[in-house]
Amino acid sequence: MHIYFVPISVKIRNLGRYNVLWQVSVASRWSMPKVDRAHVAVDGKIIGYFCLFGSRTMRNNTFRRFRKMALLIGLVGAMNSVLAAPTILAGAKLAQLSSLLGELRSGGFVIYFRHGPTDQTDSRDDEANLMKCETQRNLSVEGRNQAIQIGKAFQALRIPVGTVTTSPFCRCKETAKLAFGHFSVSQDLYFSIGTNASETKRYTESLRRMLSTPPVKATNAVIVSHSANLREAAGIWPKPEGVAYVFRPMPGGQFEPIAMVLPEDWSTLAKLNAPSRPKASPAAGAP
């Protein structure tokens, strides 16, 4: 039996990207009934599917009509699921970085970064060897420059950073290295798309512990990982690549999202807070 996947992607307003994956199961030798399933996935996470029945002798034009109908139903289902999902949309009830700067300088927060912009032409993650960066989707030139600028902004803003924990994927490790100069890897921050239910549960529980654990006194803890991991642990879609969410650890294993920071916001605030240079006084005797 052969399985084929055809991804269809659309973007509607600012709710993110919906993917409908049409899975066709073809009986290779027998003219027997088959089940065609259309999976509905949101940001790579399958949230449901529906089935169509037929036989392998079904004419192509009939199959195409069924496929169009399935994709339409799947898209509507994806939209409804997203609208009902307990996610935090960009900027909703979250503070601006400028209003939080004083507290960040005192430490006590966990800052979750999604890795920087990547080269979308690189190898796919399902083919990745964690020991070989060349088999993975890696940072682009923009992503490397962005990480460097974020690191410079943290220094200029005097935001103390303690532990830096990353996913084992090279794009996360490189983001951390370029921005903060050091990191340690946690296997529990592995990209959770495509993992089985027990692995996803373990990764989710581990990330929730990280987000709820107060950092070393007078520092902020940094996590660099992926979009799906934060979605599973906190119901937040971290978009775009390079975005950060600031969390306040709370008692009882709880945590609270405080701010969403776009990649360019760090440098923008650093420039606004830079000390102004005094104007040069005119030379003696100048008119």
Side-chain angles (χ1 to χ4, degrees):
M1 184 170 290
H2 305 285
I3 307 296
Y4 301 93
F5 289 93
V6 181
I8 306 295
S9 298
V10 295
K11 189 169 185 179
I12 299 178
R13 291 188 296 179
N14 292 319
L15 294 179
R17 188 169 296 279
Y18 314 94
N19 298 297
V20 179
L21 302 181
W22 176 255
Q23 176 178 303
V24 185
S25 303
V26 181
S28 58
R29 296 183 62 183
W30 301 277
S31 180
M32 58 182 290
K34 71 178 187 302
V35 178
D36 296 334
R37 297 188 299 172
H39 284 193
V40 181
V42 179
D43 271 13
K45 178 183 178 183
I46 293 176
I47 58 175
Y49 65 87
F50 51 93
C51 301
L52 292 173
F53 295 87
S55 70
R56 78 178 185 91
T57 58
M58 183 185 294
R59 292 181 178 273
N60 287 338
N61 59 347
T62 303
F63 173 76
R64 283 195 293 268
R65 287 199 297 270
F66 274 109
R67 182 174 62 182
K68 289 180 180 179
M69 179 179 69
L71 290 176
L72 178 60
I73 295 172
L75 179 58
V76 172
M79 290 174 60
N80 289 336
S81 297
V82 171
L83 289 172
T87 59
I88 299 177
L89 299 180
K93 299 181 181 179
L94 297 179
Q96 297 295 318
L97 176 60
S98 56
S99 65
L100 191 63
L101 181 57
E103 292 184 81
L104 281 172
R105 285 172 171 167
S106 298
F109 295 94
V110 178
I111 307 173
Y112 185 102
F113 278 91
R114 182 183 176 187
H115 58 77
T118 54
D119 184 351
Q120 299 295 328
T121 64
D122 275 1
S123 302
R124 299 183 308 173
D125 288 327
D126 57 2
E127 301 172 343
N129 179 338
L130 294 181
M131 303 303 294
K132 297 181 178 180
C133 292
E134 63 270 20
T135 67
Q136 305 173 32
R137 177 164 58 90
N138 296 309
L139 292 187
S140 62
V141 173
E142 177 192 0
R144 295 186 185 97
N145 290 336
Q146 183 186 96
I148 292 171
Q149 293 306 314
I150 288 174
K152 290 180 177 179
F154 264 68
Q155 293 180 5
L157 292 169
R158 305 193 308 280
I159 298 174
V161 173
T163 60
V164 179
T165 311
T166 81
S167 155
F169 280 84
C170 291
R171 56 184 178 270
C172 297
K173 294 189 290 184
E174 188 174 18
T175 298
K177 179 66 175 178
L178 292 174
F180 305 109
H182 68 280
F183 63 88
S184 62
V185 172
S186 171
Q187 297 299 324
D188 285 350
L189 292 175
Y190 187 93
F191 194 23
S192 62
I193 285 183
T195 55
N196 61 44
S198 62
E199 288 175 327
T200 300
K201 181 180 179 182
R202 176 165 62 88
Y203 298 156
T204 299
E205 291 175 349
S206 179
L207 179 53
R208 286 174 178 165
R209 284 194 297 271
M210 294 181 193
L211 295 174
S212 63
T213 301
V216 175
K217 186 177 180 180
T219 70
N220 299 287
V222 169
I223 299 171
V224 184
S225 191
H226 308 274
S227 56
N229 300 59
L230 193 61
R231 162 66 178 171
E232 293 290 342
I236 295 174
W237 295 1
K239 292 194 175 219
E241 291 176 316
V243 71
Y245 278 84
V246 181
F247 291 89
R248 188 195 308 275
M250 301 176 68
Q254 301 298 310
F255 50 86
E256 178 185 11
I258 299 298
M260 188 272 288
V261 187
L262 292 173
E264 62 272 16
D265 289 350
W266 304 103
S267 295
T268 299
L269 185 60
K271 292 176 182 177
L272 291 175
N273 281 263
S276 57
R277 296 179 179 178
K279 295 182 179 180
S281 56

